[in-house]
């Protein structure tokens, strides 16, 4: 690489309540790449915010910004960084600006909940995208046309999306590898003491086996099957058949490792998903109930109150994160 190489330019649009961790992991990775050669700069970047002056993260962290919603160059790479209360931060000026830049052919990415912003701008139709696992259920209910995956980052044409946090490093290391090769990407990872960079196929969360400490493959498979079928629950008999166990054997596994029955564990998973949707979206209670496999609103309400100490309607009327504009 020589000093004649033109730096690749990134533009970070920070939305109100953005994630400082996701943002800084991305910028730090690019900054280290610039240290690799003394006679060449690999990357340049600037930071934008709708109000031009500075952006405030969800934790109160302030970042000075270079400009407002200015026109970009065709070869710029735009990264929209979201965080808490993303609906409030997704303003009409931001949406219109994103649509305009997309028409220019700019490559556009989103970190964390900014996937919501790209979706509201109409940029994600039939695209495969990812977002932070905490927001996955909410986004899937609100944007049915989006193909959500659980990977740490994804790329689909001129759109790329990232779960945020440390995954921003993985995303940028991947892009550095593609731009300049393995030596530079590996050197940057070493500088950041990041010994095990992850690929786009890597799941966001550790497996059921590692998360629970369970060392029984069939039990882990049964739990994963439950998590994948919350809207249309399947019977313990069907689950047992899928993992090639008898119903009795499945019940013994749940009792031994999780101190509960398959039905109770499955039921709790559905209630936890309902709580996420009630807290993070404006969906009507009846829609939440259906999305979590409850056909009777009264049964849903009674079960929810027994589990969490308040009714679904009371939960829904409280503060919502991160999609609420309230």
């Amino acid at each position: 690489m020589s000093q004649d190489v033109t730096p690749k330019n990134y533009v970070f649009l920070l939305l109100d309540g953005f994630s400082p961790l996701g943002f800084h992991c991305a910028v730090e990775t690019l900054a280290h790449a610039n240290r690799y050669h003394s006679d060449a700069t690999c990357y340049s970047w600037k930071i934008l915010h709708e109000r031009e002056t500075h952006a405030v993260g969800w934790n109160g962290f302030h970042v000075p910004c270079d400009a407002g919603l200015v026109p970009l160059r065709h070869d710029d790479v735009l990264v929209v960084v979201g965080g808490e209360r993303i609906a409030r931060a997704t303003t009409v000026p931001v949406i219109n600006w994103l649509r305009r830049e997309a028409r220019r052919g700019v490559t556009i990415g989103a970190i964390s909940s900014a996937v919501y912003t790209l979706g509201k701008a109409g940029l994600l139709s039939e695209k495969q995208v990812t977002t932070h696992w905490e927001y996955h259920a909410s986004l899937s209910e609100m944007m049915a046309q989006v193909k959500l995956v659980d990977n740490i980052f994804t790329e689909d044409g001129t759109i790329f999306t990232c779960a945020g946090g440390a995954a921003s490093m993985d995303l940028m290391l991947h892009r550095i590898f593609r731009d300049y090769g393995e030596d530079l990407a590996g050197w940057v990872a070493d500088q950041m003491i990041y010994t095990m960079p992850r690929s786009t196929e890597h799941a966001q969360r550790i497996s059921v086996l590692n998360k629970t400490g369970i060392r029984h493959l069939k039990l882990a498979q049964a739990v994963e099957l439950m998590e994948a079928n919350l809207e249309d629950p399947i019977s313990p008999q069907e689950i047992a058949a899928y993992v090639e166990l008898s119903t009795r054997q499945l019940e013994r596994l749940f009792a031994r490792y999780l101190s509960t029955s398959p039905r109770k564990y499955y039921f709790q998973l559905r209630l936890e998903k309902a709580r996420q949707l009630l807290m993070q979206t404006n969906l009507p209670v009846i829609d939440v109930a259906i999305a979590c496999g409850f056909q009777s609103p009264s049964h849903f309400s009674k079960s929810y109150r027994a589990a969490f100490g308040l009714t679904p309607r009371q939960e829904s009327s409280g503060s919502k994160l991160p999609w609420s504009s309230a």
Side-chain angles (χ1 to χ4, degrees), residues 261-276:
S261 69
R263 287 188 184 277
K264 289 181 180 178
Y265 188 88
Y266 202 174
F267 194 67
Q268 187 63 33
L269 287 179
R270 291 160 56 203
L271 287 172
E272 288 171 357
K273 179 186 177 181
R275 193 177 199 189
Q276 281 188 334

Side-chain angles (χ1 to χ4, degrees), residues 277-289:
L277 293 177
L278 289 168
M279 295 177 68
Q280 297 177 0
T281 76
N282 291 318
L283 289 173
V285 170
I286 183 61
D287 289 350
V288 172

Side-chain angles (χ1 to χ4, degrees), residues 81-218:
V81 187
E84 299 289 355
R85 298 200 178 276
I86 193 64
R88 175 184 292 175
T90 304
T91 64
V92 172
V94 166
I95 290 174
N96 291 339
W97 181 78
L98 285 172
R99 289 171 176 166
R100 185 179 71 235
E101 297 309 319
R103 288 194 295 268
R104 294 177 188 268
V106 172
T107 297
I108 301 177
I111 289 178
S112 189
S113 64
V115 171
Y116 172 89
T117 308
L118 268 57
K120 293 295 285 186
L123 307 183
L124 300 183
S125 181
E126 300 305 316
K127 293 288 186 181
Q128 180 171 280
V129 303
T130 193
T131 188
H132 190 283
W133 64 265
E134 187 177 13
Y135 310 148
H136 189 106
S138 304
L139 191 63
S140 64
E141 292 295 330
M142 297 176 73
M143 297 183 175
Q145 79 279 13
V146 174
K147 301 176 182 178
L148 275 170
V149 296
D150 191 44
N151 300 354
I152 57 173
F153 66 90
T154 61
E155 294 181 298
D156 192 340
T158 59
I159 297 291
F160 62 91
T161 52
C162 175
S168 297
M169 288 192 290
D170 298 288
L171 168 66
M172 291 304 176
L173 285 169
H174 172 77
R175 297 185 69 85
I176 290 170
F177 171 81
R178 190 174 56 197
D179 291 340
Y180 297 108
E182 182 178 359
D183 289 346
L184 178 54
W187 185 87
V188 171
D190 287 342
Q191 290 296 309
M192 302 179 76
I193 320 296
Y194 200 46
T195 56
M196 294 291 288
R198 300 166 293 178
S199 70
T200 183
E201 289 82 17
H202 200 98
Q204 288 186 39
R205 290 181 284 179
I206 57 178
S207 68
V208 172
L209 274 72
N210 292 331
K211 180 170 58 178
T212 62
I214 296 170
R215 295 302 170 189
H216 198 292
L217 179 59
K218 289 188 180 295

